[in-house]
Every structure is written in C-alpha cells, then in structure tokens.
Amino acid sequence: MSVILYGLAATIVTMMAIGFYVAKKVNGDSINYIVAGRGLILPLAAATLMAQSLDSNATLGNTDLAAGFGFWAGAALPVGLALCLFLTGLFFAKPMNRLNLTTLPDFYRRKYGRTAEIVASIIMSVAYAFLLAGNLVAGGYLFQIFVGTSFQLGVFIIAGLVLAYTVAGGLFSVAYTDVLQAGVAFIGSIALIVYVTTNYGITVPSGMGPTNLGQLTDPSQGAYINLATIVALGLGDIVAIDFMERVFAADSPETAQKACFIGAAGTLVIGVPFSVVALSANPILASLGVEAGNQAVLYTLLQNAIPPWLAALVLAGIVAASFSTSDGAILGTSAVIARNIGNIRVDEESTTSPAAAADGGVDEGFFGSESDKLLTVTRLMSLPITLLGVFLAIRVSATGMLLVLAFDIMLAGAFVPLVMGLYWSDIATTPAALGSMIAGSATRLVLFVMVPTTYAYENTLLYIPNDIFTAAFDGLPTFIAAAVGLVAFLVIAFVTKDDYPIYSVEKQSNPNIVAGGEED
C-alpha cells in the first residue's frame, strides 16, 4: 500500500507542477487560456484529445459494466469514444478549426443568433456538470480505498486540486498534463493485460465475451443500452465543449484532423484491454476469496490481485485521467458561461494589447499579471461549476452512467443543429435550430425522470414512479430524443426556410459577429 500511496502522491505532485509551470503561457489573455492560443502542435493536440476520451469515467465505467454485463457493455465506452474521434476527423475537425471559434456555442451564435447561443450553452453546461461529477466520483472512491479518506472528502480533495491548476493555466495546463496522462495510461493498460494474461489467464464467462454479438442485437442481453452507449458517445461527444475546444486549439486544420485519428486509435488501444481484463476480474477475485461488493471492480482487482508497482502505475493513469477530463470540464463550462451566456467578448483582432477587452479594458488579474475581463470571469466561474460537480458526484455515484448521460443530453439537444448548420446550411434556419434543441432536450429530460434506470444504473437523482416505462425501456430514450430533435429541425426548417434568412457561418470571420452580420 505504501508503494501505491507514493505513486499516487508522485502523480499528483507532477500534475500540479506541470499545470502551474505552464500557467505563465496564459499571460493575461483569455484566448491563450481557453484555446491555448490556437497553437497546439500535433503531439499535444493528439494527447489532449485522447486523454479526453480515456477519463476515469470511461475506465471505471468500462470495467464495472464489462464485469457485470459482458464485454460489449464495457467496450461500448471506448468504442463509442473512438468512433467520435474518427467521425470528427473525417467530417468536423478541419471545418471547425478553420472557423476560428473560441467556444462551441460560438458556432450557434454565428449561424443561428444570440438566443440559439444561449440555449445551446445551457444544454452543454448541464451535460458537463454530469461529466465533471462522474470523474470526481472516480477520484473520490480512489481516495477512499487507497488513501483512507471518506468518499466525500476524496471528492472535495480531487476537485480542489484540479480547480487550482485549471484556474492557473487553462487549456495550456490541460494539454501539457494530458501528455503525461496519455503516456501513463498507455503503459499501464498494456502492462495490466500482459500481467493478468501471464499470471491468471483470460477467463471469459459464458455469454459475456466479445464474440457474443447478442449483446448488440438482443434486448434481453442489454442490446438497447449497449447500442445507445455507442451512439450517445459516438455522436454526442462531437458536440462536447471541451472536446471541440481542443479541436479549436490545434495549430492548423490538418493538425486537428490528424490528432483526431491518432486519438481514436489510442482510445481503442488503451480502452479495450480494460474490457478484456474486466471479464476475468470476477473469476480472479473468486479464486482469491475476495468479493468486490459495491466497490469498483478495477479498484478491487488492483488492491488484491496485482503487484503494488503495477497497481500504482494503473492508478496513476486513472488519477491523471480524472484530472484530465475534470479540468477540461471546468474550463470549458466556465468559458461557455462567461463568454456565451454572460456575453463577455474580447477583441481578438486587436494588435495593441493581448488583454484588451472589447467591453472595457483589463482587470488586475491572477498571478501578478493583467487579465482581460473574459479571462477573469472565466476563472471566477470555475468555483461554482466545481461545486456543482461535487454536489452531483456525491448525489449520483455512478461513473459510467454519468459519462454517457452527459453526451446523451448533447446528442438530443445540440448535435442536429451543428450538423445541419455546417453541411445543410441552406435549410438551417434559426427557428429550426431552436425547435430542435428544445424538443430534443425536453424529450430526453422527460424520459430520464420517467425511466427507473439509466444505462442499467438505478436513477437515484430524479425519478417519477409510473407504470408506463419500465427498466426494459432503458437505452431507447437515446434514440427517441435524438429522433425527436431531428424531426423537429426538418419540419420547422421546411416551414420556415422561405420566411427566415439563412446565414453562412463560414463567411463570418469576426469572432464577435452574430447571425445577421452585425457586431455586438
């Protein structure tokens, strides 16, 4: 246990040191803070995209689901996330990088107007509160099991640590620490499956292996849930605020695209071995006379069946992963609230001062430097966002469910307007976008509170008992809500296309332009 504790301590100290060291690159400039000055080279861009997919939500959710329900229940997480990166590389990375956006809701502003920007920002902020919570859950359990704190204290500790260096360095801190996270996760994942294979062998319980495709075709084997997971992550993550933030931060469209493809491959290489190991986890623990109980299967395995040096390595990757997505979620959501909901802009075309705020000068900022107003408010918003994540983490302690639910919400409310606005711009009207976002999100919310389980986890957050929807309905809300959003968009677009002007987002180079061609 001392080896594990020293390993965790070393990882945390290293992450914090890197995060604070690169914070000086921000230099009081919100564009540096939010999108790393749009200058991430390929290794940094690829590492930060891959790290976003390999957070502790995905790792612990993957192993718990695979051990409990079969290979595809767990592997659906890395497969869905890799699919997202692949599709983004094919269709979205280059055009979105060229648009010179700062946050993803900027797209909705330029294409559909101010109201659509606000609605999209609210949907994404709500979703990311759940994503942040899931990573804090994983960190809380880790501190409880391996450090000896309570779960609640562990959540507060990891939240405080992540908040500290995120406030300091923004996306620079995120990107540079992600390089460490991706490397440690890769080594730990491969070493774990090699050790388990050579020392225990891979045991696949009957009907739970990767060749049992009934897990993808038979509803009684969880096919609805597994397919919904892949679809929610594969499409919903495309409209993730921290994910697109990384795409915007790449130094060129080509770098953004290559980084997505590298990230997709890395997500599969690191994520799928955890699914394989999870299949053998229960037989291994049974042979040792150990029961996982309510504890995460991977944590139990590392604690009882894996040598301390390897457990420390794998846990270091999980801690770093928890930091990685947590800091991205805090940064992305804070920036969206400050810039897109609060409507605080900076003059990105100014050559007189990097900290010149479009709405009135500079503020004396953090760390002895001047900060433009957007940077200051983004940093200040980090605290309430973190506290909301802490509240949800303590209230709903289910990593995998929180991960998929976050992207499910964005798939239902934000995906269709993005795709239509980018590729079918001639029919993409503002009423169609607003109708799609509201109809899709409302449908998903209603189904969430009406179905007793969400991705096989009991809905302990907000469930209204009823006799209409049972647990057998679980998984279908993903498809229903997304379909409602698509149908609403197409119907309203057809009705309004001759009455509302169509704006081209590609022709608007000024970042402060709203739909209609007028500046704030």
Side-chain angles (χ1 to χ4, degrees):
M1 188 63 74
S2 61
V3 173
I4 293 175
L5 290 175
Y6 288 137
L8 292 176
T11 301
I12 292 172
V13 169
T14 304
M15 295 280 288
M16 298 294 291
I18 293 173
F20 279 106
Y21 178 76
V22 299
K24 61 184 179 182
K25 292 178 176 288
V26 173
N27 196 31
D29 188 345
S30 58
I31 302 305
N32 286 340
Y33 185 76
I34 298 171
V35 287
R38 298 193 178 92
L40 293 186
I41 59 175
L42 182 58
L44 286 173
T48 197
L49 282 169
M50 184 166 62
Q52 186 262 354
S53 295
L54 293 168
D55 62 11
S56 50
N57 256 338
T59 303
L60 295 188
N62 177 357
T63 51
D64 281 347
L65 290 168
F69 303 100
F71 174 83
W72 287 106
L77 296 175
V79 168
L81 292 165
L83 176 63
C84 165
L85 285 163
F86 180 72
L87 292 176
T88 301
L90 280 181
F91 302 112
F92 298 97
K94 282 187 173 181
M96 293 299 284
N97 182 273
R98 290 191 187 104
L99 290 176
N100 204 39
L101 303 172
T102 301
T103 62
L104 182 56
D106 286 354
F107 176 91
Y108 298 81
R109 172 190 180 86
R110 292 200 210 171
K111 176 60 187 172
Y112 301 114
R114 175 72 176 140
T115 302
E117 174 189 24
I118 294 175
V119 174
S121 298
I122 293 172
I123 292 171
M124 295 173 187
S125 297
V126 170
Y128 259 71
F130 287 104
L131 183 69
L132 172 60
N135 280 278
L136 296 180
V137 168
Y141 280 131
L142 187 147
F143 272 81
Q144 179 186 35
I145 295 166
F146 295 99
V147 181
T149 70
S150 66
F151 167 72
Q152 291 82 0
L153 180 58
V155 168
F156 274 102
I157 290 173
I158 198 163
L161 293 172
V162 173
L163 175 64
Y165 79 79
T166 303
V167 168
L171 193 64
F172 276 121
S173 292
V174 174
Y176 280 85
T177 54
D178 281 351
V179 174
L180 171 66
Q181 187 269 325
V184 172
F186 177 80
I187 297 171
S189 173
I190 300 304
L192 180 63
I193 193 169
V194 169
Y195 181 86
V196 169
T197 301
T198 55
N199 288 272
Y200 298 103
I202 298 298
T203 303
V204 180
S206 178
M208 297 181 68
T211 60
N212 178 27
L213 298 182
Q215 297 172 53
L216 298 175
T217 58
D218 183 0
S220 67
Q221 298 184 49
Y224 289 158
I225 297 173
N226 297 340
L227 291 174
T229 299
I230 294 173
V231 170
L233 296 177
L235 300 181
D237 196 15
I238 292 173
V239 283
I241 48 181
D242 68 331
F243 174 64
M244 274 298 170
E245 214 170 51
R246 290 152 158 85
V247 172
F248 303 153
D251 63 6
S252 70
E254 291 72 25
T255 294
Q257 182 180 59
K258 292 176 183 177
C260 286
F261 291 145
I262 294 171
T267 299
L268 290 176
V269 169
I270 297 174
V272 171
F274 280 108
S275 305
V276 176
V277 168
L279 292 176
S280 302
N282 287 325
I284 292 172
L285 293 174
S287 69
L288 298 174
V290 176
E291 293 185 5
N294 294 325
Q295 187 171 296
V297 168
L298 181 59
Y299 285 166
T300 306
L301 189 69
L302 294 176
Q303 193 176 22
N304 296 278
I306 304 300
W309 67 267
L310 180 53
L313 182 62
V314 175
L315 289 170
I318 294 174
V319 169
S322 184
F323 274 51
S324 171
T325 300
S326 296
D327 56 23
I330 293 170
L331 171 63
T333 309
S334 301
V336 164
I337 292 175
R339 178 180 174 87
N340 303 108
I341 296 178
N343 203 29
I344 299 172
R345 310 279 155 175
V346 294
D347 183 4
E348 297 171 26
E349 305 299 320
S350 173
T351 58
T352 58
S353 170
D359 60 348
V362 299
D363 294 331
E364 272 302 317
F366 293 75
F367 313 109
S369 64
E370 289 186 331
S371 301
D372 65 44
K373 190 170 184 179
L374 175 58
L375 172 55
T376 299
V377 176
T378 299
R379 279 171 161 162
L380 290 174
M381 288 307 305
S382 297
L383 179 59
I385 292 301
T386 304
L387 291 176
L388 177 59
V390 169
F391 168 77
L392 290 174
I394 294 173
R395 187 72 178 82
V396 188
S397 305
T399 51
M401 185 267 275
L402 288 169
L403 169 69
V404 185
L405 180 61
F407 296 123
D408 208 358
I409 293 170
M410 290 185 285
L411 171 62
F415 178 71
V416 171
L418 176 72
V419 174
M420 292 298 182
L422 199 60
Y423 283 104
W424 286 276
S425 184
D426 56 337
I427 68 166
T429 65
T430 296
L434 289 171
S436 175
M437 287 190 283
I438 294 171
S441 300
T443 300
R444 189 64 190 93
L445 176 62
V446 169
L447 292 175
F448 173 70
V449 301
M450 296 296 288
V451 179
T453 60
T454 300
Y455 303 106
Y457 288 95
E458 182 182 359
N459 181 358
T460 59
L461 180 63
L462 183 61
Y463 170 60
I464 300 175
N466 66 93
D467 297 325
I468 301 174
F469 300 102
T470 67
F473 198 76
D474 194 0
L476 291 177
T478 296
F479 303 102
I480 294 172
V484 168
L486 175 60
V487 171
F489 190 102
L490 294 175
V491 170
I492 298 173
F494 178 77
V495 172
T496 62
K497 62 184 176 64
D498 296 326
D499 300 322
Y500 284 83
I502 303 295
Y503 304 114
S504 174
V505 69
E506 292 85 354
K507 293 181 180 179
Q508 299 181 20
S509 59
N510 189 322
N512 295 317
I513 290 285
V514 294
E518 297 183 359
E519 292 188 48
D520 277 351

